Amino acid sequence: MDRFVINGGVALKGEVAISGSKNAALPLIAATLLTAERCVIHGVPNLSDTRYMAAILQELGAEAKFEDGTVTVEAKRIKTVADYDVVRKMRASFCVFGPLLGRHCKAKVSVPGGCVIGPRPIDMHIKGFRALGAEVDIQKGLVIANAKELVGNTIFLGGRFGSTVTGTANVMMAAVLAKGTTVIECAACEPEVVDVAEFLNKMGAQIHGAGSPTLTIHGVEQLHGAEHTVIADRIEAATFMTAAAITNGDVRLKGARAEHLGAVIDKFRESGIRVERSGPDMVVKGDGVRKPADVVTMPYPGFPTDVQAQFMTLMAVTPGISVITEKIYPERFMHVAELGRLGADISLEGASAIVKGVARLSGAPIMASDLRASAALVLAGLVAQGKTKVNRVYHIDRGYEKIDDKLRALGARIERQKQ
Ligand code: EPU
């Protein structure tokens, strides 16, 4: 298991290229199962999660190749069963369900396991598949669906915590080959869902309204092969924005899509960070007077839960008191105790963190617990005095392409140690 050793205190400067979005790439790769023809997806970040998704497709019988950021899939004949051994390592594996059901009117996929960021149910996915006419049952840890044919319907996909990102993508992927018209209400508006809809339309689907809460899908007989490039990763971009801000640096984020980062940019500016658009890039400068900011996470276009931990690290060293409220995963605070080990002053009140900015953090050994919490700890290490050792960085390797190399190129003193 690798760990990062970080010597904090360097203001980051220079340029960093933002990779393709993990959370778009995963359902995009799954969507290729909807056709027997060849699909090519460019700009796929080389991560353990994306490699795993390509491996699942191979396991299902597709030819899937992942080379130099391009995934090529030919799913001529596929199995419709993905059991626990195949999917257990990654919740997003469940994204193959919609394509399998859409193409073959049946699917059997292991129920995704628990997750350190809190409960992650799939009831809304199942509700959507049922509304399309599938009989869905859970038996022996498998979600089993069968249908004579899928038939379009109006489906409300909102839950206690709002819309569902992979649920919307999954039901949309099943509905593209259903008979008639499907309307998904309270659909997730995240750019990753829009990217999947765009790819499906290139494959011949007829999806309208992507990016709005109402998706209208006119079912088609079949889809064909297509080529697509994944959108830039807005969460990676926000993480590097934080790295620039927290170190009082000056960083150009190449290819970052500012239009996907409205809520994040707004909060950064409120906290005194300079954020500018510059052609296709963004430039972030942390040289201003910093101020605390209150944040509430929400579905897109609100402030993303996937940036909550990183923003909390920034607020931990910003004078004043900030309140950060988590509305998507009310238990997603694994980073709080570890930040405390570096000297941060953060207390939890239900789903809110009260963050009292401290003058400095001081390096210590800490433990990464999940992807975004790990990113928050690395950010803390960049600004902490002395040496911070972040253990279990395999979490971060699931979602950040070469984060250590990218930070080093900006001047950070970060080393990967094999243990
Ligand atoms: N929910 C339900 N029932 C469902 C599905 C979701 O109650 O059937 C609840 C969840 O428990 C949560 C809320 O609805 O409270 C939103 O969950 P959502 O389904 O949108 O999450 P997801 O699709 O499983 C994706 C990202 C997550 C990101 C969330 C929220 C992927 C592969 N994962 O998960 O990303 O946090 O949307 O934006 O796209 C990450 O990248 O670190 C990560 C965890």
Side-chain angles (χ1 to χ4, degrees):
M1 251 187 273
D2 295 358
R3 71 174 175 202
F4 287 154
V5 179
I6 308 167
N7 277 292
V10 179
L12 300 191
K13 288 204 163 55
E15 295 184 349
V16 60
I18 300 305
S19 296
S21 159
K22 164 183 84 86
N23 289 347
L26 295 173
L28 282 168
I29 298 171
T32 63
L33 291 170
L34 279 161
T35 176
E37 292 183 19
R38 190 163 175 263
C39 291
V40 183
I41 305 175
H42 303 288
V44 178
N46 188 0
L47 306 167
S48 47
D49 273 13
T50 47
R51 290 193 298 269
Y52 192 59
M53 189 55 117
I56 291 172
L57 264 58
Q58 283 170 348
E59 197 62 44
L60 288 169
E63 275 179 34
K65 207 171 64 184
F66 189 174
E67 263 173 24
D68 300 329
T70 296
V71 171
T72 309
V73 182
E74 238 179 273
K76 286 207 179 94
R77 264 181 298 278
I78 46 167
K79 292 190 283 184
T80 54
V81 181
D83 59 24
Y84 186 62
D85 283 341
V86 179
V87 303
R88 77 192 147 81
K89 284 195 200 150
M90 186 175 71
R91 291 190 51 81
S93 316
F94 198 65
C95 285
V96 300
F97 204 100
L100 295 180
L101 184 63
R103 181 156 161 201
H104 287 306
C105 286
K106 59 181 182 178
K108 216 188 250 192
V109 179
S110 176
V111 180
C115 177
V116 72
I117 67 178
R120 314 251 326 248
I122 48 161
D123 54 312
M124 293 201 274
H125 300 234
I126 291 176
K127 178 182 172 187
F129 300 139
R130 284 196 175 128
L132 294 173
E135 275 184 26
V136 188
D137 218 357
I138 299 182
Q139 278 174 26
K140 297 183 182 161
L142 292 167
V143 184
I144 303 171
N146 286 292
K148 274 208 201 79
E149 59 177 4
L150 296 181
V151 182
N153 201 346
T154 295
I155 310 167
F156 184 84
L157 274 192
R160 269 177 74 202
F161 300 101
S163 50
T164 162
V165 177
T166 49
T168 301
N170 226 348
V171 175
M172 176 170 77
M173 290 190 284
V176 286
L177 292 177
K179 223 175 174 179
T181 298
T182 300
V183 177
I184 301 181
E185 294 173 344
C186 200
C189 304
E190 270 71 1
E192 294 76 15
V193 175
V194 178
D195 208 31
V196 176
E198 280 177 9
F199 177 54
L200 292 169
N201 282 345
K202 286 182 188 171
M203 294 171 80
Q206 287 194 25
I207 303 169
H208 306 279
S212 81
T214 306
L215 286 178
T216 305
I217 304 161
H218 300 296
V220 295
E221 288 279 309
Q222 60 178 23
L223 298 185
H224 51 75
E227 197 160 344
H228 188 73
T229 300
V230 185
I231 49 166
D233 194 316
R234 63 193 168 102
I235 309 300
E236 189 201 24
T239 305
F240 278 99
M241 285 171 72
T242 317
I246 205 167
T247 62
N248 297 329
D250 180 348
V251 174
R252 174 175 287 266
L253 310 171
K254 292 190 72 69
R257 300 274 297 262
E259 69 273 28
H260 295 162
L261 284 159
V264 175
I265 293 172
D266 185 58
K267 282 295 159 189
F268 269 64
R269 287 189 176 144
E270 194 181 316
S271 355
I273 310 299
R274 280 202 284 157
V275 184
E276 288 149 26
R277 283 183 190 224
S278 170
D281 306 335
M282 281 167 60
V283 177
V284 180
K285 294 179 184 165
D287 52 2
V289 177
R290 291 236 290 274
K291 288 170 283 192
D294 294 347
V295 162
V296 181
T297 64
M298 276 187 250
Y300 189 83
F303 192 94
T305 171
D306 291 343
V307 186
Q308 179 256 109
Q310 300 90 314
F311 194 74
M312 191 181 300
T313 303
L314 179 63
M315 292 302 100
V317 289
T318 296
I321 299 177
S322 309
V323 180
I324 299 181
T325 303
E326 177 55 68
K327 291 267 192 181
I328 309 291
Y329 298 112
E331 297 166 28
R332 194 179 199 177
F333 288 117
M334 302 297 287
H335 42 287
V336 168
E338 297 302 294
L339 289 173
R341 304 196 64 247
L342 302 180
D345 183 348
I346 305 170
S347 53
L348 288 177
E349 290 285 342
S352 294
I354 319 296
V355 186
K356 295 182 184 152
V358 295
R360 69 188 65 82
L361 298 177
S362 118
I366 43 180
M367 194 74 84
S369 57
D370 70 85
L371 174 55
R372 308 304 172 188
S374 314
L377 300 183
V378 169
L379 292 166
L382 293 177
V383 74
Q385 286 182 343
K387 199 176 274 188
T388 300
K389 290 181 184 168
V390 184
N391 293 297
R392 293 200 188 164
V393 298
Y394 61 87
H395 288 293
I396 216 165
D397 292 333
R398 295 186 49 196
Y400 289 92
E401 194 175 44
K402 297 185 182 155
I403 191 170
D404 42 337
D405 292 349
K406 287 186 178 185
L407 287 170
R408 211 174 305 113
L410 294 172
R413 292 175 296 190
I414 176 168
E415 294 301 328
R416 181 183 288 259
Q417 284 183 352
K418 304 267 173 208
Q419 282 184 298

